[in-house]
Amino acid sequence: MVDCSYCGTELKPGTGSIFVKKDGNAVFFCSRKCRTNMLKLKRSPRKWAKEKEKHKKKK
Ligand SMILES: [Zn+2]
């Protein structure tokens, strides 16, 4: 089992996509959206996802 490198969602085998970076590390994405965000916007993924979760819990 792997987690989406962007949002942290658990990926089931056979779903999502794998991207191998120039440095040889593989990253996993649950969806195209996550892939695009990660590769184009280069946001700090885990941080961003955690902040989002915090807001959800508060409400
Ligand atoms: Zn994701």
Side-chain angles (χ1 to χ4, degrees):
M1 283 283 199
V2 290
D3 292 340
C4 173
S5 298
Y6 187 71
C7 69
T9 301
E10 200 174 82
L11 298 182
K12 288 172 188 172
T15 64
S17 59
I18 301 168
F19 179 79
V20 181
K21 291 195 282 188
K22 281 179 189 173
D23 59 13
N25 287 321
V27 286
F28 302 88
F29 299 110
C30 66
S31 65
R32 243 183 171 180
K33 196 176 131 196
C34 285
R35 189 187 159 117
T36 307
N37 283 343
M38 180 76 145
L39 299 180
K40 285 194 181 173
L41 305 179
K42 291 183 180 174
R43 278 177 173 157
S44 166
R46 299 266 155 80
K47 216 177 176 185
W48 184 74
K50 270 182 190 172
E51 297 253 322
K52 222 180 165 189
E53 261 179 38
K54 268 186 197 171
H55 287 297
K56 270 185 195 170
K57 276 174 189 172
K58 273 183 186 177
K59 281 175 191 176

Tab-separated table of all heavy atoms in Angstrom:
chain	number	residue	atom	x	y	z
A	1	MET	N	0.839	-1.210	0.000
A	1	MET	CA	0.000	0.000	0.000
A	1	MET	C	0.872	1.257	0.000
A	1	MET	O	1.853	1.340	0.719
A	1	MET	CB	-0.878	0.035	1.258
A	1	MET	CG	-2.061	-0.910	1.145
A	1	MET	SD	-3.333	-0.223	0.104
A	1	MET	CE	-4.709	-1.225	0.645
A	2	VAL	N	0.506	2.210	-0.789
A	2	VAL	CA	1.226	3.481	-0.811
A	2	VAL	C	0.237	4.621	-0.631
A	2	VAL	O	-0.961	4.466	-0.851
A	2	VAL	CB	1.996	3.677	-2.139
A	2	VAL	CG1	3.168	2.719	-2.220
A	2	VAL	CG2	1.096	3.522	-3.332
A	3	ASP	N	0.763	5.762	-0.205
A	3	ASP	CA	-0.076	6.946	-0.056
A	3	ASP	C	0.216	7.923	-1.183
A	3	ASP	O	1.342	8.014	-1.659
A	3	ASP	CB	0.219	7.624	1.281
A	3	ASP	CG	-0.241	6.767	2.452
A	3	ASP	OD1	-1.091	5.892	2.238
A	3	ASP	OD2	0.250	6.993	3.559
A	4	CYS	N	-0.784	8.657	-1.551
A	4	CYS	CA	-0.604	9.708	-2.538
A	4	CYS	C	0.440	10.704	-2.005
A	4	CYS	O	0.335	11.173	-0.877
A	4	CYS	CB	-1.934	10.408	-2.787
A	4	CYS	SG	-1.804	11.859	-3.832
A	5	SER	N	1.427	10.988	-2.825
A	5	SER	CA	2.503	11.859	-2.364
A	5	SER	C	2.029	13.296	-2.195
A	5	SER	O	2.690	14.108	-1.561
A	5	SER	CB	3.658	11.817	-3.362
A	5	SER	OG	4.162	10.511	-3.437
A	6	TYR	N	0.912	13.588	-2.743
A	6	TYR	CA	0.417	14.965	-2.639
A	6	TYR	C	-0.576	15.152	-1.494
A	6	TYR	O	-0.359	15.983	-0.622
A	6	TYR	CB	-0.203	15.404	-3.960
A	6	TYR	CG	-0.565	16.858	-3.944
A	6	TYR	CD1	0.426	17.821	-3.970
A	6	TYR	CD2	-1.881	17.265	-3.849
A	6	TYR	CE1	0.123	19.155	-3.912
A	6	TYR	CE2	-2.200	18.602	-3.802
A	6	TYR	CZ	-1.200	19.541	-3.835
A	6	TYR	OH	-1.517	20.868	-3.769
A	7	CYS	N	-1.623	14.377	-1.500
A	7	CYS	CA	-2.665	14.604	-0.493
A	7	CYS	C	-2.644	13.573	0.628
A	7	CYS	O	-3.293	13.755	1.643
A	7	CYS	CB	-4.045	14.630	-1.157
A	7	CYS	SG	-4.578	13.039	-1.777
A	8	GLY	N	-1.884	12.475	0.439
A	8	GLY	CA	-1.756	11.503	1.514
A	8	GLY	C	-2.824	10.429	1.517
A	8	GLY	O	-2.849	9.577	2.386
A	9	THR	N	-3.702	10.468	0.542
A	9	THR	CA	-4.744	9.453	0.460
A	9	THR	C	-4.143	8.088	0.144
A	9	THR	O	-3.237	7.988	-0.663
A	9	THR	CB	-5.750	9.818	-0.653
A	9	THR	OG1	-6.316	11.083	-0.345
A	9	THR	CG2	-6.854	8.785	-0.768
A	10	GLU	N	-4.658	7.085	0.787
A	10	GLU	CA	-4.144	5.738	0.548
A	10	GLU	C	-4.570	5.243	-0.831
A	10	GLU	O	-5.735	5.351	-1.199
A	10	GLU	CB	-4.703	4.810	1.626
A	10	GLU	CG	-3.891	3.549	1.778
A	10	GLU	CD	-4.394	2.723	2.956
A	10	GLU	OE1	-5.381	2.002	2.766
A	10	GLU	OE2	-3.813	2.818	4.039
A	11	LEU	N	-3.606	4.719	-1.564
A	11	LEU	CA	-3.910	4.219	-2.900
A	11	LEU	C	-4.126	2.713	-2.862
A	11	LEU	O	-3.362	1.993	-2.233
A	11	LEU	CB	-2.756	4.525	-3.850
A	11	LEU	CG	-2.422	5.988	-4.079
A	11	LEU	CD1	-1.298	6.077	-5.091
A	11	LEU	CD2	-3.614	6.764	-4.569
A	12	LYS	N	-5.141	2.264	-3.561
A	12	LYS	CA	-5.326	0.828	-3.693
A	12	LYS	C	-4.484	0.347	-4.865
A	12	LYS	O	-4.273	1.098	-5.817
A	12	LYS	CB	-6.809	0.530	-3.959
A	12	LYS	CG	-7.649	0.744	-2.733
A	12	LYS	CD	-9.118	0.624	-3.071
A	12	LYS	CE	-9.956	1.038	-1.867
A	12	LYS	NZ	-11.378	1.114	-2.202
A	13	PRO	N	-4.038	-0.893	-4.794
A	13	PRO	CA	-3.227	-1.416	-5.901
A	13	PRO	C	-3.968	-1.290	-7.221
A	13	PRO	O	-5.153	-1.594	-7.316
A	13	PRO	CB	-3.045	-2.900	-5.535
A	13	PRO	CG	-3.218	-2.955	-4.057
A	13	PRO	CD	-4.214	-1.868	-3.719
A	14	GLY	N	-3.265	-0.797	-8.233
A	14	GLY	CA	-3.872	-0.684	-9.556
A	14	GLY	C	-4.537	0.650	-9.805
A	14	GLY	O	-5.021	0.920	-10.890
A	15	THR	N	-4.562	1.522	-8.793
A	15	THR	CA	-5.157	2.830	-8.989
A	15	THR	C	-4.070	3.901	-8.913
A	15	THR	O	-2.971	3.646	-8.422
A	15	THR	CB	-6.229	3.134	-7.927
A	15	THR	OG1	-5.607	3.197	-6.645
A	15	THR	CG2	-7.305	2.085	-7.915
A	16	GLY	N	-4.404	5.067	-9.357
A	16	GLY	CA	-3.468	6.176	-9.281
A	16	GLY	C	-2.355	6.060	-10.301
A	16	GLY	O	-2.380	5.211	-11.182
A	17	SER	N	-1.358	6.919	-10.159
A	17	SER	CA	-0.265	6.888	-11.110
A	17	SER	C	1.061	7.100	-10.399
A	17	SER	O	1.124	7.677	-9.320
A	17	SER	CB	-0.488	7.965	-12.178
A	17	SER	OG	-0.562	9.225	-11.569
A	18	ILE	N	2.088	6.594	-11.039
A	18	ILE	CA	3.423	6.704	-10.464
A	18	ILE	C	4.244	7.656	-11.325
A	18	ILE	O	4.155	7.622	-12.552
A	18	ILE	CB	4.110	5.328	-10.423
A	18	ILE	CG1	3.292	4.352	-9.587
A	18	ILE	CG2	5.520	5.461	-9.849
A	18	ILE	CD1	3.765	2.911	-9.741
A	19	PHE	N	4.983	8.510	-10.687
A	19	PHE	CA	5.873	9.413	-11.407
A	19	PHE	C	7.265	9.296	-10.809
A	19	PHE	O	7.436	9.399	-9.599
A	19	PHE	CB	5.356	10.848	-11.281
A	19	PHE	CG	6.239	11.845	-11.981
A	19	PHE	CD1	6.170	12.013	-13.351
A	19	PHE	CD2	7.137	12.617	-11.250
A	19	PHE	CE1	6.982	12.933	-13.986
A	19	PHE	CE2	7.954	13.538	-11.885
A	19	PHE	CZ	7.879	13.698	-13.264
A	20	VAL	N	8.237	9.053	-11.678
A	20	VAL	CA	9.605	8.932	-11.194
A	20	VAL	C	10.336	10.247	-11.443
A	20	VAL	O	10.413	10.734	-12.571
A	20	VAL	CB	10.344	7.769	-11.894
A	20	VAL	CG1	11.763	7.652	-11.347
A	20	VAL	CG2	9.601	6.455	-11.688
A	21	LYS	N	10.827	10.799	-10.380
A	21	LYS	CA	11.497	12.096	-10.472
A	21	LYS	C	12.902	11.949	-11.041
A	21	LYS	O	13.438	10.850	-11.129
A	21	LYS	CB	11.562	12.742	-9.077
A	21	LYS	CG	10.175	13.154	-8.580
A	21	LYS	CD	10.279	14.087	-7.411
A	21	LYS	CE	10.604	13.340	-6.132
A	21	LYS	NZ	10.521	14.195	-4.949
A	22	LYS	N	13.476	13.068	-11.373
A	22	LYS	CA	14.818	13.060	-11.959
A	22	LYS	C	15.844	12.452	-11.006
A	22	LYS	O	16.829	11.872	-11.426
A	22	LYS	CB	15.241	14.500	-12.303
A	22	LYS	CG	14.623	14.974	-13.598
A	22	LYS	CD	15.046	16.399	-13.863
A	22	LYS	CE	14.257	16.971	-15.039
A	22	LYS	NZ	14.521	18.399	-15.209
A	23	ASP	N	15.610	12.623	-9.721
A	23	ASP	CA	16.566	12.085	-8.755
A	23	ASP	C	16.348	10.591	-8.492
A	23	ASP	O	17.032	9.994	-7.671
A	23	ASP	CB	16.512	12.886	-7.449
A	23	ASP	CG	15.133	12.861	-6.803
A	23	ASP	OD1	14.291	12.046	-7.214
A	23	ASP	OD2	14.900	13.666	-5.893
A	24	GLY	N	15.371	10.008	-9.180
A	24	GLY	CA	15.167	8.568	-9.067
A	24	GLY	C	14.117	8.163	-8.055
A	24	GLY	O	13.721	7.010	-7.998
A	25	ASN	N	13.636	9.111	-7.279
A	25	ASN	CA	12.585	8.799	-6.314
A	25	ASN	C	11.238	8.701	-7.021
A	25	ASN	O	10.929	9.518	-7.882
A	25	ASN	CB	12.515	9.879	-5.237
A	25	ASN	CG	13.686	9.797	-4.278
A	25	ASN	OD1	14.114	8.712	-3.907
A	25	ASN	ND2	14.215	10.937	-3.899
A	26	ALA	N	10.468	7.730	-6.639
A	26	ALA	CA	9.141	7.582	-7.222
A	26	ALA	C	8.111	8.241	-6.316
A	26	ALA	O	8.194	8.142	-5.093
A	26	ALA	CB	8.802	6.116	-7.407
A	27	VAL	N	7.180	8.938	-6.933
A	27	VAL	CA	6.089	9.527	-6.163
A	27	VAL	C	4.774	8.987	-6.703
A	27	VAL	O	4.665	8.659	-7.875
A	27	VAL	CB	6.110	11.071	-6.220
A	27	VAL	CG1	7.223	11.635	-5.369
A	27	VAL	CG2	6.219	11.565	-7.641
A	28	PHE	N	3.797	8.901	-5.834
A	28	PHE	CA	2.522	8.310	-6.204
A	28	PHE	C	1.416	9.342	-6.114
A	28	PHE	O	1.396	10.168	-5.204
A	28	PHE	CB	2.204	7.140	-5.272
A	28	PHE	CG	3.272	6.078	-5.298
A	28	PHE	CD1	4.361	6.158	-4.445
A	28	PHE	CD2	3.169	5.013	-6.178
A	28	PHE	CE1	5.351	5.187	-4.470
A	28	PHE	CE2	4.163	4.035	-6.200
A	28	PHE	CZ	5.246	4.118	-5.351
A	29	PHE	N	0.504	9.236	-7.067
A	29	PHE	CA	-0.620	10.178	-7.069
A	29	PHE	C	-1.930	9.426	-7.185
A	29	PHE	O	-2.045	8.490	-7.974
A	29	PHE	CB	-0.491	11.159	-8.229
A	29	PHE	CG	0.773	11.980	-8.148
A	29	PHE	CD1	1.798	11.783	-9.047
A	29	PHE	CD2	0.923	12.940	-7.171
A	29	PHE	CE1	2.964	12.535	-8.976
A	29	PHE	CE2	2.082	13.693	-7.086
A	29	PHE	CZ	3.104	13.493	-7.992
A	30	CYS	N	-2.931	9.874	-6.433
A	30	CYS	CA	-4.234	9.219	-6.471
A	30	CYS	C	-5.035	9.697	-7.665
A	30	CYS	O	-5.932	9.027	-8.130
A	30	CYS	CB	-5.002	9.474	-5.169
A	30	CYS	SG	-5.471	11.191	-4.912
A	31	SER	N	-4.708	10.888	-8.152
A	31	SER	CA	-5.497	11.426	-9.250
A	31	SER	C	-4.659	12.388	-10.080
A	31	SER	O	-3.574	12.803	-9.672
A	31	SER	CB	-6.720	12.168	-8.706
A	31	SER	OG	-6.284	13.301	-7.980
A	32	ARG	N	-5.177	12.726	-11.223
A	32	ARG	CA	-4.515	13.670	-12.105
A	32	ARG	C	-4.343	15.019	-11.425
A	32	ARG	O	-3.377	15.724	-11.635
A	32	ARG	CB	-5.395	13.871	-13.341
A	32	ARG	CG	-4.703	13.419	-14.602
A	32	ARG	CD	-5.647	13.744	-15.740
A	32	ARG	NE	-5.002	13.552	-17.019
A	32	ARG	CZ	-5.592	13.755	-18.170
A	32	ARG	NH1	-6.849	14.136	-18.185
A	32	ARG	NH2	-4.947	13.575	-19.285
A	33	LYS	N	-5.338	15.367	-10.652
A	33	LYS	CA	-5.331	16.655	-9.972
A	33	LYS	C	-4.134	16.755	-9.034
A	33	LYS	O	-3.413	17.751	-9.020
A	33	LYS	CB	-6.633	16.789	-9.169
A	33	LYS	CG	-6.930	18.199	-8.734
A	33	LYS	CD	-8.276	18.219	-8.044
A	33	LYS	CE	-8.165	18.939	-6.734
A	33	LYS	NZ	-9.323	18.673	-5.870
A	34	CYS	N	-3.928	15.709	-8.270
A	34	CYS	CA	-2.804	15.700	-7.336
A	34	CYS	C	-1.494	15.762	-8.099
A	34	CYS	O	-0.570	16.466	-7.728
A	34	CYS	CB	-2.850	14.438	-6.479
A	34	CYS	SG	-4.109	14.510	-5.214
A	35	ARG	N	-1.419	15.033	-9.176
A	35	ARG	CA	-0.216	15.006	-9.995
A	35	ARG	C	0.085	16.402	-10.536
A	35	ARG	O	1.196	16.898	-10.446
A	35	ARG	CB	-0.447	14.029	-11.159
A	35	ARG	CG	0.783	13.751	-11.962
A	35	ARG	CD	0.389	12.919	-13.185
A	35	ARG	NE	1.418	13.047	-14.195
A	35	ARG	CZ	2.159	12.029	-14.642
A	35	ARG	NH1	1.966	10.832	-14.191
A	35	ARG	NH2	3.068	12.230	-15.549
A	36	THR	N	-0.935	17.032	-11.063
A	36	THR	CA	-0.754	18.368	-11.628
A	36	THR	C	-0.335	19.363	-10.561
A	36	THR	O	0.594	20.137	-10.754
A	36	THR	CB	-2.074	18.843	-12.275
A	36	THR	OG1	-2.508	17.850	-13.192
A	36	THR	CG2	-1.866	20.150	-13.013
A	37	ASN	N	-1.011	19.302	-9.438
A	37	ASN	CA	-0.688	20.236	-8.350
A	37	ASN	C	0.753	20.063	-7.892
A	37	ASN	O	1.473	21.031	-7.691
A	37	ASN	CB	-1.626	20.001	-7.165
A	37	ASN	CG	-2.987	20.588	-7.408
A	37	ASN	OD1	-3.153	21.422	-8.290
A	37	ASN	ND2	-3.963	20.166	-6.658
A	38	MET	N	1.126	18.817	-7.721
A	38	MET	CA	2.464	18.525	-7.222
A	38	MET	C	3.522	18.967	-8.225
A	38	MET	O	4.495	19.624	-7.872
A	38	MET	CB	2.575	17.014	-6.988
A	38	MET	CG	3.923	16.599	-6.464
A	38	MET	SD	4.104	16.985	-4.729
A	38	MET	CE	5.097	15.613	-4.211
A	39	LEU	N	3.339	18.627	-9.484
A	39	LEU	CA	4.382	18.856	-10.477
A	39	LEU	C	4.407	20.294	-10.971
A	39	LEU	O	5.462	20.841	-11.268
A	39	LEU	CB	4.187	17.901	-11.662
A	39	LEU	CG	4.266	16.417	-11.276
A	39	LEU	CD1	4.065	15.559	-12.506
A	39	LEU	CD2	5.591	16.072	-10.622
A	40	LYS	N	3.255	20.910	-11.052
A	40	LYS	CA	3.218	22.270	-11.597
A	40	LYS	C	3.332	23.339	-10.520
A	40	LYS	O	4.043	24.314	-10.664
A	40	LYS	CB	1.932	22.475	-12.399
A	40	LYS	CG	1.998	21.767	-13.730
A	40	LYS	CD	0.892	22.242	-14.640
A	40	LYS	CE	0.956	21.505	-15.963
A	40	LYS	NZ	-0.198	21.833	-16.814
A	41	LEU	N	2.613	23.128	-9.446
A	41	LEU	CA	2.594	24.170	-8.420
A	41	LEU	C	3.707	24.004	-7.399
A	41	LEU	O	4.078	24.937	-6.715
A	41	LEU	CB	1.229	24.181	-7.703
A	41	LEU	CG	0.032	24.318	-8.638
A	41	LEU	CD1	-1.260	24.285	-7.839
A	41	LEU	CD2	0.089	25.597	-9.453
A	42	LYS	N	4.207	22.762	-7.312
A	42	LYS	CA	5.309	22.468	-6.391
A	42	LYS	C	5.028	22.971	-4.980
A	42	LYS	O	5.833	23.645	-4.355
A	42	LYS	CB	6.608	23.063	-6.934
A	42	LYS	CG	7.030	22.319	-8.181
A	42	LYS	CD	8.347	22.820	-8.711
A	42	LYS	CE	8.717	22.018	-9.971
A	42	LYS	NZ	9.897	22.516	-10.622
A	43	ARG	N	3.848	22.657	-4.532
A	43	ARG	CA	3.491	23.004	-3.170
A	43	ARG	C	4.099	21.999	-2.211
A	43	ARG	O	4.437	20.889	-2.594
A	43	ARG	CB	1.962	22.945	-3.001
A	43	ARG	CG	1.289	24.188	-3.489
A	43	ARG	CD	-0.206	23.982	-3.344
A	43	ARG	NE	-0.908	25.210	-3.640
A	43	ARG	CZ	-2.177	25.246	-4.021
A	43	ARG	NH1	-2.855	24.142	-4.163
A	43	ARG	NH2	-2.752	26.380	-4.249
A	44	SER	N	4.184	22.384	-0.997
A	44	SER	CA	4.602	21.438	0.026
A	44	SER	C	3.400	20.560	0.375
A	44	SER	O	2.478	21.018	1.017
A	44	SER	CB	5.074	22.222	1.248
A	44	SER	OG	5.171	21.366	2.335
A	45	PRO	N	3.403	19.338	-0.111
A	45	PRO	CA	2.179	18.531	-0.123
A	45	PRO	C	1.635	18.156	1.244
A	45	PRO	O	0.482	18.403	1.544
A	45	PRO	CB	2.582	17.280	-0.902
A	45	PRO	CG	4.066	17.219	-0.812
A	45	PRO	CD	4.543	18.639	-0.700
A	46	ARG	N	2.438	17.533	2.056
A	46	ARG	CA	1.947	17.022	3.340
A	46	ARG	C	1.416	18.170	4.193
A	46	ARG	O	0.381	18.105	4.794
A	46	ARG	CB	3.063	16.306	4.082
A	46	ARG	CG	3.598	15.124	3.327
A	46	ARG	CD	2.899	13.823	3.752
A	46	ARG	NE	2.934	12.804	2.695
A	46	ARG	CZ	3.973	12.035	2.438
A	46	ARG	NH1	5.056	12.150	3.140
A	46	ARG	NH2	3.921	11.143	1.477
A	47	LYS	N	2.181	19.234	4.239
A	47	LYS	CA	1.821	20.403	5.028
A	47	LYS	C	0.442	20.901	4.615
A	47	LYS	O	-0.432	21.138	5.419
A	47	LYS	CB	2.846	21.500	4.763
A	47	LYS	CG	3.154	22.334	5.988
A	47	LYS	CD	4.231	23.326	5.637
A	47	LYS	CE	4.527	24.246	6.786
A	47	LYS	NZ	5.479	25.286	6.400
A	48	TRP	N	0.299	21.021	3.315
A	48	TRP	CA	-0.936	21.551	2.762
A	48	TRP	C	-2.107	20.651	3.132
A	48	TRP	O	-3.159	21.101	3.565
A	48	TRP	CB	-0.772	21.651	1.247
A	48	TRP	CG	-1.934	22.260	0.563
A	48	TRP	CD1	-2.275	23.572	0.557
A	48	TRP	CD2	-2.921	21.588	-0.225
A	48	TRP	NE1	-3.409	23.749	-0.188
A	48	TRP	CE2	-3.818	22.559	-0.681
A	48	TRP	CE3	-3.114	20.253	-0.591
A	48	TRP	CZ2	-4.899	22.231	-1.484
A	48	TRP	CZ3	-4.192	19.933	-1.387
A	48	TRP	CH2	-5.074	20.920	-1.822
A	49	ALA	N	-1.916	19.339	3.005
A	49	ALA	CA	-2.989	18.389	3.300
A	49	ALA	C	-3.345	18.430	4.789
A	49	ALA	O	-4.499	18.356	5.158
A	49	ALA	CB	-2.566	16.979	2.891
A	50	LYS	N	-2.331	18.552	5.624
A	50	LYS	CA	-2.581	18.579	7.061
A	50	LYS	C	-3.386	19.820	7.444
A	50	LYS	O	-4.306	19.755	8.234
A	50	LYS	CB	-1.253	18.572	7.814
A	50	LYS	CG	-0.786	17.161	8.100
A	50	LYS	CD	0.507	17.180	8.888
A	50	LYS	CE	1.096	15.775	8.946
A	50	LYS	NZ	2.430	15.779	9.522
A	51	GLU	N	-3.020	20.940	6.871
A	51	GLU	CA	-3.755	22.182	7.160
A	51	GLU	C	-5.219	22.003	6.807
A	51	GLU	O	-6.106	22.412	7.542
A	51	GLU	CB	-3.169	23.322	6.335
A	51	GLU	CG	-1.734	23.627	6.684
A	51	GLU	CD	-1.602	24.934	7.453
A	51	GLU	OE1	-2.346	25.861	7.120
A	51	GLU	OE2	-0.769	25.011	8.364
A	52	LYS	N	-5.437	21.381	5.686
A	52	LYS	CA	-6.791	21.157	5.211
A	52	LYS	C	-7.554	20.306	6.218
A	52	LYS	O	-8.687	20.577	6.552
A	52	LYS	CB	-6.729	20.436	3.861
A	52	LYS	CG	-7.713	20.970	2.853
A	52	LYS	CD	-7.566	20.194	1.569
A	52	LYS	CE	-8.740	20.426	0.662
A	52	LYS	NZ	-8.701	19.514	-0.490
A	53	GLU	N	-6.916	19.256	6.691
A	53	GLU	CA	-7.535	18.360	7.658
A	53	GLU	C	-7.895	19.089	8.939
A	53	GLU	O	-8.954	18.899	9.499
A	53	GLU	CB	-6.575	17.219	7.988
A	53	GLU	CG	-6.908	15.965	7.206
A	53	GLU	CD	-5.952	14.832	7.507
A	53	GLU	OE1	-5.546	14.692	8.662
A	53	GLU	OE2	-5.600	14.120	6.565
A	54	LYS	N	-6.985	19.929	9.388
A	54	LYS	CA	-7.207	20.705	10.610
A	54	LYS	C	-8.510	21.494	10.504
A	54	LYS	O	-9.321	21.516	11.414
A	54	LYS	CB	-6.052	21.669	10.831
A	54	LYS	CG	-4.951	21.073	11.699
A	54	LYS	CD	-3.916	22.138	11.985
A	54	LYS	CE	-2.620	21.522	12.484
A	54	LYS	NZ	-1.560	22.515	12.566
A	55	HIS	N	-8.663	22.131	9.361
A	55	HIS	CA	-9.852	22.950	9.173
A	55	HIS	C	-11.117	22.106	9.213
A	55	HIS	O	-12.126	22.501	9.756
A	55	HIS	CB	-9.764	23.690	7.819
A	55	HIS	CG	-8.759	24.806	7.857
A	55	HIS	ND1	-8.891	25.882	8.683
A	55	HIS	CD2	-7.609	24.991	7.173
A	55	HIS	CE1	-7.855	26.684	8.501
A	55	HIS	NE2	-7.063	26.174	7.594
A	56	LYS	N	-11.007	20.910	8.656
A	56	LYS	CA	-12.157	20.015	8.632
A	56	LYS	C	-12.537	19.627	10.058
A	56	LYS	O	-13.701	19.611	10.422
A	56	LYS	CB	-11.814	18.749	7.850
A	56	LYS	CG	-12.144	18.879	6.380
A	56	LYS	CD	-11.898	17.541	5.697
A	56	LYS	CE	-11.868	17.705	4.186
A	56	LYS	NZ	-11.403	16.470	3.541
A	57	LYS	N	-11.539	19.297	10.846
A	57	LYS	CA	-11.800	18.828	12.207
A	57	LYS	C	-12.420	19.909	13.072
A	57	LYS	O	-13.251	19.650	13.916
A	57	LYS	CB	-10.501	18.321	12.836
A	57	LYS	CG	-10.219	16.883	12.433
A	57	LYS	CD	-8.867	16.416	12.929
A	57	LYS	CE	-8.535	15.059	12.324
A	57	LYS	NZ	-7.154	14.659	12.620
A	58	LYS	N	-11.981	21.123	12.852
A	58	LYS	CA	-12.509	22.239	13.644
A	58	LYS	C	-13.984	22.421	13.422
A	58	LYS	O	-14.737	22.721	14.327
A	58	LYS	CB	-11.765	23.530	13.279
A	58	LYS	CG	-10.488	23.692	14.127
A	58	LYS	CD	-9.803	25.001	13.800
A	58	LYS	CE	-8.479	25.091	14.512
A	58	LYS	NZ	-7.760	26.313	14.157
A	59	LYS	N	-14.409	22.212	12.157
A	59	LYS	CA	-15.822	22.374	11.838
A	59	LYS	C	-16.557	21.134	12.233
A	59	LYS	O	-17.302	20.924	12.991
A	59	LYS	CB	-15.966	22.576	10.339
A	59	LYS	CG	-15.646	23.997	9.948
A	59	LYS	CD	-15.693	24.114	8.421
A	59	LYS	CE	-15.114	25.443	7.992
A	59	LYS	NZ	-15.071	25.501	6.525
B	1	ZN	ZN	-3.900	12.650	-3.946
